[in-house]
Amino acid sequence: MYLADSRSTGSRGTEAAAVPDTRPGRRPAAVPSTVLALGAVSLITDVSSEMVTAVLPLYVVAGLGLSPLGFGLLDGINNGVGALVRLAGGHLADRGGRRHKVVAGLGYGLSALCKPLLLLAHTLPVLSAVLAVDRTGKGLRTAPRDAMISLATEPAQRGRAFGVHRAMDTTGALLGPLLAFAVLRATVDGYDAVFAVSGCVAVLGVLVLVLFVPRRIDTPADAVRRPPPPEPDRPPALRDAIGLLRLPELRRLTVCAALLGLTTVSDSFLYLLLQREGDLPAHLFPLLPLGTAAFFLLLAVPLGALADRVSRRRLFLAGHGVLLLGYGLVLSPWHGVPAVIAVLVLHGTFYAATDGVLAAATAGVVPARHQGAGQALVGTGQALARFACSLAFGAAWSLWGGRTALAVTAAALAVSAVVSAFVLRGTDEVPATTDEVSA
């Protein structure tokens, strides 16, 4: 249980794992072992989460008989509740002297606890409560996890590191629906069996975190060759976290992430539309996320490396352009399995160009001691916006139908992308200092 902790408090072996070797003639590793360990945790946890996500839309709409508006409420909870605690999670991790592992572990533990509770959730209020706790766990762990990746990696390699992590995470997203599909086919009480197996897998992810992720992540050697301004002895206060928005680059990223999030249809709604437009049998529904996950997995690392060489912000915007093309395909007269596959390819490309790339861009403009709060600010803005989009899209679907709701959302996404391109024009990633934050 204390294997990783004991190695992280001064031993030469852990220092080498967290800090790249900078001896003459040695090239620092682009992906530290800490990132790989966190990737393994995310892979296992995502198997658990995506097992539930793959069957939840059909379970809610077909099994419990809820309307699209009711599902929109549940899907909004998935995005919104976690956002409300994400900032708190990032702040607590920073305030604890970079003890991000403790806060992340609490988040992973809460999510693992919720999976078996889904067995008891047969009404909307109970299901909403369980999902709220599950998303609280996700909100607590996301910012500390991304902060650990940022702190353990060379600044010039962060796009690649986040790409590797997201590729491992997406491997779990690929395996989760497959496992859910297999469980549904092999059992009588399929949904309950999926929830039970998901809970067991989630516990395994927590164990990997405890055993293999170092307790404290130190900044890479070449990231501190130029000594930063002296930092205050007191731990960061909550007002310091909010004060990060004084940084112009971070403020622009946060605004644009939120604006684009307002026009990003949730995966579940998109898959429901694809299933209906493509006339796919219900038992194939859990396989739809596989197309997204497969291309996310294939492209996460190369697009992350590309972001390190070009502009992370431009790639982030280009990813939303790809998503707009996907919406256009859903609305086009082209139907059937080939059209479904093409949309899933575009959907996976969108995630590969935006998810880890946004986190890497955020890490480039936030001081090391505020990495948790900085990641949380951007993530919170985006998640709250997607919460609002889920509610609005569910209501629009109920009033106008799915196709009309998607057409309106696509038009809004096009406008948001143009506005975001204007806001982010000519910006560069310039690491901020603590003095700038507290000014």
Side-chain angles (χ1 to χ4, degrees):
M1 177 176 180
Y2 298 100
L3 178 61
D5 291 352
S6 64
R7 294 182 307 184
S8 63
T9 54
S11 70
R12 184 180 182 91
T14 299
E15 229 173 273
V19 180
D21 189 348
T22 56
R23 289 176 293 175
R26 296 295 186 99
R27 183 179 179 180
V31 183
S33 59
T34 297
V35 176
L36 298 178
L38 287 168
V41 174
S42 293
L43 187 157
I44 296 169
T45 302
D46 228 39
V47 170
S48 170
S49 298
E50 291 302 321
M51 287 183 67
V52 174
T53 301
V55 301
L56 190 62
L58 281 181
Y59 177 68
V60 169
V61 176
L64 301 183
L66 295 181
S67 67
L69 179 58
F71 178 71
L73 174 62
L74 285 176
D75 198 61
I77 289 173
N78 269 340
N79 289 308
V81 173
L84 296 177
V85 298
R86 188 175 298 191
L87 184 58
H91 167 66
L92 288 174
D94 291 339
R95 187 175 177 81
R98 294 188 189 171
R99 293 176 183 172
H100 302 86
K101 177 181 175 179
V102 175
V103 180
L106 177 61
Y108 282 110
L110 276 177
S111 294
L113 179 65
C114 287
K115 299 303 188 297
L117 294 180
L118 289 171
L119 295 169
L120 307 176
H122 301 298
T123 62
L124 180 59
V126 176
L127 189 59
S128 299
V130 174
L131 289 178
V133 177
D134 179 68
R135 294 300 96 178
T136 297
K138 182 175 177 62
L140 281 175
R141 70 181 184 250
T142 300
R145 180 204 65 201
D146 286 348
M148 285 190 280
I149 295 172
S150 300
L151 292 169
T153 308
E154 304 273 355
Q157 300 289 345
R158 280 174 178 155
R160 183 187 298 273
F162 275 103
V164 169
H165 174 269
R166 296 312 196 255
M168 296 180 71
D169 181 89
T170 306
T171 301
L174 191 66
L175 297 175
L178 283 174
L179 186 54
F181 175 75
V183 171
L184 282 176
R185 297 285 289 179
T187 59
V188 177
D189 297 325
Y191 293 121
D192 288 348
V194 168
F195 299 151
V197 174
S198 172
C200 296
V201 176
V203 171
L204 177 61
V206 176
L207 290 176
V208 173
L209 175 76
V210 171
L211 292 174
F212 297 105
V213 176
R215 180 168 57 88
R216 180 182 174 90
I217 310 297
D218 295 320
T219 306
D222 79 338
V224 294
R225 283 174 186 161
R226 295 183 295 274
E231 296 182 340
D233 293 332
R234 65 173 179 83
L238 184 59
R239 65 176 178 273
D240 296 329
I242 303 299
L244 288 172
L245 289 175
R246 297 191 186 99
L247 303 174
E249 302 298 326
L250 184 65
R251 186 168 60 246
R252 292 173 185 174
L253 276 178
T254 304
V255 168
C256 292
L259 182 61
L260 292 166
L262 281 171
T263 53
T264 301
V265 176
S266 76
D267 296 356
S268 297
F269 274 127
L270 184 62
Y271 297 147
L272 281 172
L273 277 170
L274 283 175
Q275 191 263 336
R276 295 188 179 190
E277 294 295 327
D279 294 323
L280 296 177
H283 71 274
L284 294 180
F285 185 87
L287 299 180
L288 287 178
L290 295 182
T292 296
F295 280 88
F296 189 178
L297 174 62
L298 288 174
L299 296 175
V301 176
L303 288 183
L306 178 64
D308 289 332
R309 295 195 299 270
V310 292
S311 168
R312 292 164 184 165
R313 293 171 177 82
R314 289 178 184 173
L315 192 59
F316 178 70
L317 291 173
H320 285 85
V322 170
L323 180 64
L324 186 60
L325 289 177
Y327 291 170
L329 275 182
V330 175
L331 295 170
S332 72
W334 186 30
H335 299 301
V337 174
V340 170
I341 294 174
V343 172
L344 295 178
V345 169
L346 293 172
H347 199 221
T349 304
F350 156 71
Y351 275 117
T354 57
D355 191 4
V357 171
L358 178 62
T362 301
V365 296
V366 178
R369 76 191 303 260
H370 294 286
Q371 278 292 324
Q375 295 288 347
L377 276 172
V378 177
T380 297
Q382 185 181 61
L384 286 176
R386 290 183 176 179
F387 167 73
C389 183
S390 288
L391 293 180
F393 192 86
W397 187 330
S398 296
L399 290 173
W400 306 328
R403 288 181 62 84
T404 302
L406 184 62
V408 172
T409 305
L413 176 58
V415 173
S416 298
V418 172
V419 172
S420 297
F422 177 79
V423 171
L424 294 177
R425 74 192 191 285
T427 58
D428 295 317
E429 292 175 17
V430 180
T433 66
T434 302
D435 290 343
E436 292 176 293
V437 174
S438 58

